[in-house]
């Protein structure tokens, strides 16, 4: 892999990791509702889970979609349904610490597993393997995964910090509810490009 290709991959990894999407919006909501420290497992689950996903997609999962395109369509609709359910959960999240809210941050394993139903993650993984490891050699796939592993975590962490800072404005239940409903709406809106892709 040439230095030019690595730099292009780094740019793609940065732009696709820092822009709004389901992971980043959920991390911002978690940062606002639970703070940075309690959201660390969620952030690590996103970063490590996505890196593993890139490795597995490059190692052969792309061939499944090449052979059975309907599998990709089924995954897309299942992912959209799951993300709509998550948006509903975010919209109805109660104030942390309230006895009846049951609110708690997403765990490491939940965040890692979420990558497999996240349409943006699939688009990022499939595009990065196609564009930057077209021969699907172990070296090229490993390099793509490594670059994403190094770039993704700081990017997604910045959304948690943003959410934590926004919490200063969310000083009452009404503002927190408005914020949660806004995050849920943005999460649903982030799915629109998937519907029309």
């Amino acid at each position: 892999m040439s230095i030019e290709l690595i730099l292009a991959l780094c740019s793609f990894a940065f732009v696709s990791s820092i822009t709004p999407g389901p992971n980043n919006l959920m991390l911002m909501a978690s940062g606002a509702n639970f703070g940075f420290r309690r959201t660390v497992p969620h952030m690590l689950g996103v970063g490590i889970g996505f890196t593993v996903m890139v490795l597995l997609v490059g190692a052969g999962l792309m061939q499944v979609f090449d052979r059975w395109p309907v599998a990709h369509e089924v995954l897309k609709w299942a992912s959209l349904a799951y993300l709509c359910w998550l948006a509903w959960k975010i919209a109805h999240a109660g104030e942390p610490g309230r006895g009846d809210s049951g609110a708690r941050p997403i765990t490491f394993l939940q965040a890692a597993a979420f990558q497999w139903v996240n349409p943006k993650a699939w688009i990022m993984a499939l595009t990065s393997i196609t564009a930057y490891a077209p021969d699907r050699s172990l070296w090229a796939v490993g390099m793509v995964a490594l670059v994403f592993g190094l770039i993704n975590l700081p990017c997604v962490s910045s959304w948690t910090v943003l959410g934590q800072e926004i919490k200063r404005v969310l000083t009452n239940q009404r503002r927190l509810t408005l914020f949660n409903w806004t995050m849920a709406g943005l999460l649903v809106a982030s799915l629109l490009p998937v519907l029309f892709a």
Side-chain angles (χ1 to χ4, degrees), residues 25-26 29 33 85-94 179-181 183-184 187:
L25 293 172
M26 289 169 43
N33 284 286
W85 178 77
L86 282 176
W88 183 85
K89 294 281 282 177
I90 289 170
H92 292 90
F179 174 78
N180 286 341
W181 274 90
M183 290 298 98
L187 179 58

Side-chain angles (χ1 to χ4, degrees), residues 69-102:
V70 72
H72 188 263
E73 196 66 19
V74 168
L75 175 68
K76 177 175 95 170
W77 288 104
S79 299
L80 291 171
Y82 181 69
L83 285 167
C84 287
W85 178 77
L86 282 176
W88 183 85
K89 294 281 282 177
I90 289 170
H92 292 90
E95 185 178 353
R98 253 188 18 204
D100 63 341
S101 73

Side-chain angles (χ1 to χ4, degrees), residues 32-33 89-101 103 167 169-182:
N33 284 286
K89 294 281 282 177
I90 289 170
H92 292 90
E95 185 178 353
R98 253 188 18 204
D100 63 341
S101 73
K167 186 174 185 166
V169 178
L170 308 176
T171 55
N172 63 44
Q173 184 60 38
R174 188 171 145 221
R175 288 180 185 169
L176 181 62
T177 299
L178 177 63
F179 174 78
N180 286 341
W181 274 90
T182 301

